[in-house]
Structures are given as C-alpha cells and as structure tokens.
Amino acid sequence: MIEVPSGGRSRSLVPRSLDRVEERLILATCLVLAGVSVVGAIFEWPPAVYQPITFLALYAVLRILLPLRETPEELRQARMELAELKERLLNHECVDFRCYESSAEFYGALTEVVNSEARHQIDAWYVRKVPPTKFVQKAAKRYFSSVLQWAKNDPSRSVRRLICVHSPEMREWARRHHADTRKIANYEARIVEWAIKADLLNMAVIDQRIVFLAFSGATDQVVRGVSIRDARVAKEFTDLFTQHWAAATRLSDWVRQAR
C-alpha cells in the first residue's frame, strides 16, 4: 500500500497491485492498437477508422506517462505539506548563537554589528568593577567610541545606557562620561547603585533583535561572551533592561546629587 502521511489529515491509499494490473492492461492495449494499425495499413482502411484508434493510443500513452487520476490529489497534498512547512519555519525561526573566547573577538563582533547593522536603538548595560577606560584592547576601545559615534551620526537613533556604580573609579568615570555625552541629545545614560563588589552580566541589545552578553573573567582584561540573533530572545532582555531603566537615575540628576 502507498500511504501519504499527513498530520491529522485523511490519507489516500492506493493498492500497488491495482497499479500494476492497470499498467499491464494499458501496455496490452497499446500492442493491440499497434497491431490494428498494421492490419489497417495492409487492407487500406479509410482514415476515419483510425480516429478512435488514435485517441485510444494517445490516452494510453498519457496514462502511462501521467497518472491522471492521482495527480490532482497529489498536487493538493503537496501544496498542503508545503504550506505546513512554511508555517513551521515562520513560527520556529532558526537561532544564530555564537561564542567569543576573548575580549578582542567579543568587542570586535559587537562593533561590527553596531557599525553595519544597527538602525534604530541600542540598549547597553555596563556592570563592572572597573570603567571602560581600563580596557587596553583596541577592540574594546573602538566599541565604546563607536556607540557614541553611531548616535551622533543620526539624531533619529536612540541609545540607552545603564551604568552601575559601586566604586570610586566608576563614580569618577560616570562624572566624566556625563561631561563627554551631555550634548548628544539622543544618547541617554542612567545610573544604578550597585552594592555588590563583583561584575554582573553585561549586555547590549541591538534593535530588539540581536543580543550580546559579556561575562567577566579572572582579570579585568578578560571578557568572553555570546551573541544571539533572535527577536523573541532579544525582547526578553529588552523587557528586563526596561525594568531597570525605569528604576534608574538620570546621569545628569545623579551628577548633581553627587556634588
């Protein structure tokens, strides 16, 4: 039996034995028609006699080459299966997940995305014991400057940066950062007071579709990370970021209060 599977749909069952019998009958018919045509040629039958023979021969040939009765059903089932496959692909997007084994790899990839793919919004979260200026790798320095330049290049863009302060170094850097960025209208930083003297998860979310997560290593210069290209995952991190953003203090207000 030939069985065309389909999730929950009716199944078309066609006995193989009947197919073989039909093929043999069609072959026999073709041989008979060929013999009749030879006899007709010998006895010089009129052309009108050949018309039904011709139509029967054409039908036999088409029936062998194209299973006329099954084709519409097979096409219908193929269309249904293609539509189901398309729906699965749309509902289950492939996730692009990449790992970066060094600070240079991580910040290099992140800078590339900022410069070539970012269009509307960047949300960045910095929770480290030391400020960004402590990085000696060029890739890290390029990333932090590229975010500011990205905002300057187009006023319709938006950058939100959460900065957690829990050390004199971070507090001093936050004051300098305010002086360096206060004239960039579409760049806004907010302060979160962080009591734990340890690095936390650092992240950047690009256009609510690409997430970069950074993890601190044994020293201040060691950073590893991952990137995830998936709108659903990015939405979860954006929602988490927005919760802390709403509870944070504007950098300008924090600077005034800290005086």
Side-chain angles (χ1 to χ4, degrees), residues 6-11:
S6 58
R9 297 193 298 268
S10 61
R11 301 185 177 188

Side-chain angles (χ1 to χ4, degrees), residues 36-89:
V36 171
S37 64
V38 172
V39 173
I42 294 174
F43 291 96
E44 297 182 351
W45 289 351
V49 175
Y50 288 102
Q51 288 182 358
I53 296 175
T54 302
F55 286 125
L56 285 173
L58 288 174
Y59 173 78
V61 171
L62 290 174
R63 192 67 187 87
I64 292 174
L65 298 178
L66 181 67
L68 297 177
R69 288 179 299 181
E70 287 95 353
T71 297
E73 176 63 19
E74 291 175 354
L75 289 176
R76 185 185 69 83
Q77 291 178 350
R79 285 196 295 267
M80 294 176 65
E81 290 171 2
L82 286 174
E84 182 178 338
L85 178 60
K86 180 180 179 181
E87 183 179 356
R88 289 179 179 178
L89 290 175

